[in-house]
């Protein structure tokens, strides 16, 4: 994804941009002076020949003449415009795109009219439908829009040339669906780049009233559109040029495979959605007045948190990135606070192991900091947000739990304006106040001996809870773990993590998915050295999310667990040995869970009406359960490890996971998708030696 941070580039690039623009103008003037002289000495003006010309003066003159004449050729043979090369217009524009992709910062072709030529070709494709349908001209709009998008990815000077050439208007037409989703994707990419620079933003913002609804619609319907107009069709009925672009390109290299087309179509649909959201984010970040326009679409707001980019676009914050921008204005906060589905989506993301978890928490904190939206947001989110009250650090954010606690406890009479919270929210906030304020005050006043006594009592309750669990007395085990949590000092984070995690396992045994998610999330908030670094709690929450039918959240926890499993410190396990040997193996139930959730979280799963998403009870993953319940770790050192306990735990897991053939190897396709996940790549490295406790 090309989600660039423009502010840093622009702050230090004014001089370099001036030099680039000066070079472009100088080269343009030189080209005009040399054109008549050199055009006579050049035998061929076709692009492929001109670009290989070693003489710079001849090359520049030939290319300038070619780009000037190409938009006006009367058929699909570009040689008719400037030479005898015999390439079609589509082939030439494809070649220009490859050049732009290889060297997007090179000013030579833009200075000779390449960007202006592409803008004119886009305008002609819109105005002359007959020409567009002739020969290979149907490929021209896609590649022309991508040429503009490639040259403007990092260069403000090139973006200024595109705006001066009138590229914004035709790009908006393609974003609006003047052709198909293929051209729409390329247009969204180019418009996002043009809107990301201070110099060119005003030219794009001039059309904001038109652009915002177009981008909102594109992001909302693109998945269904791609599925209905391409994926759902038999391969023989799919547009040939789209199949070529997806699998081979115009040059015909490669082999068309239906499964490959479907995978590529899913990736492109995700990119179209992400690039449309990026375009909206660029508008929202620079023009607060656009927030009201974006928020006029309530269905879009409800779906925004579900637009997550998928595993293939993990570098894009997608929907939550736009929500965070909207939360910076009163109009945006009001609209999101009034949308229960949006608030629920933010809570789900905040209690997940997604890379953008911190963004969801940022959004909720911004909403809770607004006196006008506090009541609605607290009423809808407090019961789930309290699970994160002991979260310390998350990526670049520090002391997030303290910020969440402070925001939720601002329920004074002046703030709520006489409105009462719902019972669930009131109980959650009362419990939070009792633990984080009253209990902390009591423990601060206790002597060391008194704290030690309560800690010993908590350990005994935990031991009894473990015994009850192993004897099948799950309800009694929950009661004992709860009593242990009430006794265990708040400073004993590691011990409380284990208690919450063990209680989550009991909740799973009772199939109480909501309570299991809550306990597992609290355990992960207490984890060291980083949040979400306790593997067993990740697996338990993954199972709970699976029970709730929340496939995306379950998948992300499974992937985080898989990374932790393959990076175990215990070098005696078969899994660790296989991982070191480059033959990654996972427990059968984990591999099966990942495969299941990947099939359910595919971009087209929700719109594929002919596919069944129901899972029989017998097909659910076996619980990662009994062998983990004796999770003993009472050492004061948060990063110390009990090797004997880990060996016992691993042995019990092997008994649970074996299916007669040992540990299965995860499928190649699932592993490739797992590897694309940034979090998985990090966890599969050796940078986290304390991941497994």
């Amino acid at each position: 994804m090309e989600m660039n941070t423009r502010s840093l580039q622009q702050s230090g690039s004014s001089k370099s941009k001036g030099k680039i623009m000066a070079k472009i103008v100088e080269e343009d003037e030189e080209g005009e002076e040399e054109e008549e002289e050199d055009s006579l000495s050049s035998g061929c003006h076709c692009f492929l020949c001109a670009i290989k010309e070693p003489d710079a003066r001849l090359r520049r003159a030939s290319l300038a003449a070619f780009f000037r004449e190409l938009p006006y050729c009367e058929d699909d043979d570009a040689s008719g415009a400037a030479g005898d090369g015999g390439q079609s217009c589509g082939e030439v524009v494809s070649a220009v795109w490859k050049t732009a992709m290889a060297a997007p910062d090179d000013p030579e072709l833009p200075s000779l009219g390449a960007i202006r030529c592409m803008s004119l070709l886009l305008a002609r494709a819109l105005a002359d439908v007959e020409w567009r349908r002739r020969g290979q001209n149907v490929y021209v709009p896609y590649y022309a829009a991508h040429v503009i998008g490639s040259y403007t990815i990092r260069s403000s000077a090139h973006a200024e040339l595109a705006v001066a050439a009138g590229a914004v208007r035709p790009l908006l037409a393609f974003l609006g669906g003047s052709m198909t989703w293929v051209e729409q994707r390329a247009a969204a990419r180019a418009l996002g780049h043009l809107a990301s620079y201070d110099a060119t933003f005003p030219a794009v913002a001039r059309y904001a009233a038109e652009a915002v609804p177009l981008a909102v619609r594109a992001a909302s319907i693109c998945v269904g559109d791609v599925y209905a107009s391409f994926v759902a069709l038999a391969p023989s009925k799919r547009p040939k040029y789209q199949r070529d672009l997806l699998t081979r390109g115009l040059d015909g290299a490669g082999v068309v495979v239906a499964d490959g087309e479907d995978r590529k179509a899913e990736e492109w649909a995700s990119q179209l959605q992400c690039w449309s959201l990026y375009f909206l984010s660029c508008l929202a970040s620079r023009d607060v007045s656009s927030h009201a326009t974006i928020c006029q679409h309530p269905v879009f707001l409800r779906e925004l948190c579900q637009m997550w980019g998928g595993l293939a676009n993990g570098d894009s914050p997608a929907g939550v990135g736009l929500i965070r921008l909207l939360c910076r204005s009163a109009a945006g906060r009001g609209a999101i606070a009034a949308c229960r589905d949006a608030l629920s989506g933010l809570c789900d993301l905040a209690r997940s192991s997604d890379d953008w978890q911190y963004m969801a928490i940022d959004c909720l904190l911004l909403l809770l900091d607004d006196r006008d939206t506090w009541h609605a947001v607290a009423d809808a989110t407090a019961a789930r947000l309290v699970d994160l009250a002991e979260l310390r650090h998350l990526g670049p954010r520090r002391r997030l739990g303290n910020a969440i606690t402070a925001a939720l406890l601002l329920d004074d009479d002046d703030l709520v304006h006489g409105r009462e919270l719902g019972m669930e929210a009131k109980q959650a906030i009362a419990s939070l106040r009792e633990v984080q304020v009253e209990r902390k005050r009591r423990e601060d006043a206790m002597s060391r001996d008194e704290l030690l006594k309560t800690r010993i009592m908590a350990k005994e309750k935990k031991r009894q809870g473990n015994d009850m669990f192993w004897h099948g007395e799950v309800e009694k085990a929950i009661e004992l773990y709860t009593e242990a949590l009430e006794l265990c000092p708040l400073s004993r984070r590691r011990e409380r993590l284990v208690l919450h995690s063990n209680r989550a396992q009991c909740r799973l045994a009772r199939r109480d998915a909501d309570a299991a998610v809550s306990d597992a999330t609290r355990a992960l908030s207490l984890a060291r050295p980083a949040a979400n670094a306790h593997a067993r709690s990740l697996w338990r929450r993954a199972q709970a999310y699976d029970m709730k039918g929340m496939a995306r959240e379950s998948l992300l926890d499974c992937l985080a667990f898989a990374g932790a499993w393959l990076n175990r410190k215990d070098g005696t396990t078969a899994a660790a040995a296989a991982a070191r040997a480059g033959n990654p193996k996972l427990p059968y139930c984990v591999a099966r869970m990942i495969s299941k959730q990947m099939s359910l979280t595919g971009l087209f799963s929700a719109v594929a009406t002919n596919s069944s998403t129901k899972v029989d009870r017998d097909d659910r993953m076996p619980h990662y359960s009994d062998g983990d319940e004796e999770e003993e770790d009472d050492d004061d050192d948060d990063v110390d490890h009990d090797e004997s306990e880990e060996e016992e735990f691993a042995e019990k897991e092997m008994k649970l996971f074996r299916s007669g053939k040992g540990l299965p190897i995860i499928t190649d396709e699932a592993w490739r998708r797992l590897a694309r996940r940034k979090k998985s790549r990090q966890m599969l490295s050796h940078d986290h030696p304390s991941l497994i406790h």
Side-chain angles (χ1 to χ4, degrees):
M1 277 298 292
E2 296 141 355
M3 307 292 288
N4 313 79
T5 304
R6 306 296 191 189
S7 57
L8 293 177
Q9 294 178 352
Q10 292 167 356
S11 62
S13 65
S14 57
K15 293 183 179 180
S16 60
K17 187 181 76 172
K19 292 180 180 179
I20 293 175
M21 283 298 296
K23 182 177 180 181
I24 290 175
V25 172
E26 180 182 352
E27 291 176 342
D28 198 25
E29 292 175 350
E30 291 177 359
E32 291 177 358
E33 294 174 358
E34 299 166 356
E35 182 181 330
E36 290 189 7
E37 174 185 348
D38 293 330
S39 61
L40 297 176
S41 59
S42 177
C44 177
H45 294 286
C46 73
F47 178 77
L48 297 181
C49 293
I51 199 70
K52 298 176 183 177
E53 172 60 52
D55 189 305
R57 296 181 64 192
L58 294 178
R59 181 178 68 252
R60 290 176 52 78
S62 297
L63 290 172
F66 182 82
F67 287 133
R68 187 174 61 255
E69 297 174 15
L70 180 61
Y72 308 104
C73 61
E74 291 303 324
D75 52 33
D76 70 318
D77 187 356
S79 64
D84 303 316
Q87 301 97 12
S88 70
C89 186
E91 289 174 327
V92 170
V93 180
S94 171
V96 176
W97 169 72
K98 291 178 182 177
T99 304
M101 287 290 288
D105 300 325
D106 189 346
E108 182 177 49
L109 295 190
S111 71
L112 298 175
I115 292 178
R116 177 179 177 274
C117 175
M118 299 302 118
S119 300
L120 292 173
L121 285 171
L122 289 175
R124 182 172 185 181
L126 290 170
D128 192 345
V129 178
E130 183 180 351
W131 174 85
R132 189 177 73 203
R133 293 175 177 173
R134 194 181 304 149
Q136 293 186 331
N137 288 345
V138 69
Y139 296 89
V140 170
Y142 169 82
Y143 282 120
H146 259 326
V147 169
I148 296 174
S150 297
Y151 273 126
T152 57
I153 185 173
R154 290 192 296 266
S155 174
S156 175
H158 292 168
E160 291 182 54
L161 288 177
V163 166
V168 175
R169 201 77 184 96
L171 287 172
L172 284 174
F174 284 110
L175 180 65
S178 294
M179 281 188 67
T180 71
W181 60 273
V182 170
E183 294 78 20
Q184 196 176 36
R185 167 179 168 269
R189 173 179 180 246
L191 285 168
H193 295 163
L194 296 180
S196 65
Y197 298 106
D198 292 334
T200 54
F201 176 77
V204 180
R206 191 178 302 125
Y207 302 97
E210 175 186 359
V212 169
L214 291 178
V216 166
R217 184 174 183 274
S220 300
I221 71 169
C222 63
V223 175
D225 183 29
V226 175
Y227 182 82
S229 63
F230 188 86
V231 177
L233 302 178
S236 60
K237 294 184 178 181
R238 297 173 178 177
K240 180 181 180 301
Y241 90 98
Q242 292 182 357
R243 299 183 70 192
D244 289 342
L245 291 174
L246 282 166
T247 58
R248 303 181 306 180
L250 184 53
D251 57 7
V255 179
V256 177
V257 180
D259 290 343
E261 290 178 1
D262 291 350
R263 286 195 297 269
K264 199 69 174 177
E266 180 179 359
E267 181 181 338
W268 281 22
S270 178
Q271 289 174 347
L272 169 54
Q273 188 174 74
C274 289
W275 287 338
S276 298
L277 293 173
Y278 178 57
F279 179 42
L280 287 170
S281 297
C282 290
L283 295 173
S285 65
R286 287 179 163 80
D287 182 10
V288 178
S289 64
S290 66
H291 292 198
T293 308
I294 296 172
C295 293
Q296 288 176 355
H297 306 270
V299 175
F300 176 67
L301 287 182
R302 288 201 301 268
E303 298 174 348
L304 201 50
C305 251
Q306 303 305 316
M307 301 179 187
W308 65 299
L311 297 182
N313 293 287
D315 292 338
S316 168
V320 70
L322 178 58
I323 290 178
R324 188 170 66 162
L325 288 170
L326 296 177
C327 286
R328 299 189 184 281
S329 71
R333 289 192 295 272
I336 294 169
C339 182
R340 280 271 180 164
D341 288 339
L343 295 176
S344 179
L346 288 173
C347 285
D348 291 340
L349 183 57
R351 297 196 304 171
S352 75
S353 52
D354 193 285
D355 287 342
W356 309 111
Q357 178 188 6
Y358 74 91
M359 278 196 178
I361 297 176
D362 283 350
C363 294
L364 292 169
L365 289 176
L366 288 169
L367 292 167
L368 289 169
D369 285 342
D370 188 334
R371 301 171 69 87
D372 295 326
T373 59
W374 184 93
H375 183 276
V377 176
D379 191 46
T381 66
R384 287 175 284 180
L385 203 51
V386 293
D387 294 338
L388 302 168
E390 295 189 83
L391 183 64
R392 284 191 175 175
H393 307 318
L394 189 64
R397 303 296 189 269
R398 295 292 182 266
R399 300 189 178 278
L400 279 176
N402 291 347
I404 292 171
T405 299
L408 286 176
L409 295 183
L410 289 176
D411 58 341
D412 55 75
D413 294 336
D414 181 53
L415 184 62
V416 300
H417 304 295
R419 295 172 292 179
E420 284 196 13
L421 296 171
M423 183 59 66
E424 188 180 25
K426 288 175 67 174
Q427 291 175 350
I429 292 177
S431 174
L432 180 66
R433 179 179 284 107
E434 164 60 27
V435 173
Q436 296 299 321
V437 179
E438 303 299 334
R439 182 175 169 182
K440 188 174 290 186
R441 185 183 298 121
R442 291 195 302 269
E443 290 186 0
D444 288 343
M446 293 172 67
S447 66
R448 181 176 298 181
D449 290 341
E450 291 174 318
L451 288 173
L452 179 60
K453 181 179 178 181
T454 59
R455 183 186 175 197
I456 293 173
M457 293 171 63
K459 284 186 177 183
E460 177 59 22
K461 292 290 185 182
K462 175 192 170 185
R463 186 193 63 77
Q464 295 174 11
N466 290 346
D467 290 342
M468 289 295 103
F469 181 84
W470 289 114
H471 286 87
E473 299 289 341
V474 178
E475 291 290 347
K476 186 62 177 176
I478 291 176
E479 293 178 10
L480 289 165
Y481 288 139
T482 302
E483 293 175 12
L485 282 166
E486 292 171 354
L487 290 168
C488 186
L490 295 177
S491 59
R492 310 307 302 178
R493 291 175 65 89
R494 171 63 185 175
E495 295 166 24
R496 296 177 60 246
L497 178 158
V498 172
L499 289 168
H500 277 297
S501 187
N502 285 358
R503 193 169 68 172
Q505 181 61 63
C506 295
R507 309 285 198 192
L508 284 175
R510 295 178 61 239
R511 304 195 70 79
D512 187 351
D514 289 325
V517 168
S518 176
D519 267 321
T521 300
R522 290 175 185 237
L524 291 166
S525 297
L526 290 163
R528 294 284 190 90
N532 303 324
H534 189 250
R536 278 163 271 185
S537 297
L538 283 168
W539 176 241
R540 287 164 178 167
R541 192 170 68 176
Q543 294 176 90
Y545 277 137
D546 180 54
M547 289 182 186
K548 290 169 62 67
M550 299 172 65
R552 180 181 72 170
E553 289 75 11
S554 178
L555 173 61
L556 294 174
D557 282 347
C558 282
L559 294 178
F561 173 84
W565 173 271
L566 297 174
N567 198 37
R568 295 174 62 116
K569 285 193 70 175
D570 181 5
T572 64
T573 67
R580 288 196 307 272
N583 184 22
K585 294 183 179 181
L586 290 174
Y588 175 74
C589 66
V590 179
R592 187 179 173 194
M593 176 79 90
I594 291 175
S595 297
K596 170 189 173 182
Q597 305 301 13
M598 280 187 168
S599 67
L600 295 177
T601 55
L603 203 61
F604 299 131
S605 60
V607 295
T609 55
N610 60 337
S611 64
S612 173
T613 58
K614 295 182 179 179
V615 180
D616 295 332
R617 180 179 296 271
D618 293 339
D619 194 41
R620 288 191 178 275
M621 301 304 111
H623 293 300
Y624 182 85
S625 57
D626 307 346
D628 187 25
E629 209 46 38
E630 291 279 7
E631 185 171 347
E632 298 286 341
D633 190 343
D634 298 321
D635 195 283
D636 294 351
D637 188 354
D638 285 333
V639 297
D640 194 20
H641 307 277
D642 188 336
E643 294 183 3
S644 61
E645 180 193 351
E646 283 299 310
E647 290 174 0
E648 180 184 359
F649 167 63
E651 181 181 353
K652 291 179 179 179
E653 280 184 316
M654 291 303 99
K655 293 178 181 179
L656 286 173
F657 296 155
R658 282 196 169 96
S659 60
K661 297 181 180 179
L663 296 176
I665 300 176
I666 192 169
T667 62
D668 292 341
E669 175 60 21
W671 187 256
R672 282 194 295 270
R673 296 185 69 179
L674 185 152
R676 284 201 296 266
R677 180 72 180 162
K678 180 170 64 177
K679 187 183 292 293
S680 294
R681 288 200 302 269
Q682 292 173 343
M683 286 189 170
L684 289 173
S685 69
H686 296 284
D687 298 332
H688 302 276
S690 301
L691 212 51
I692 299 295
H693 297 284

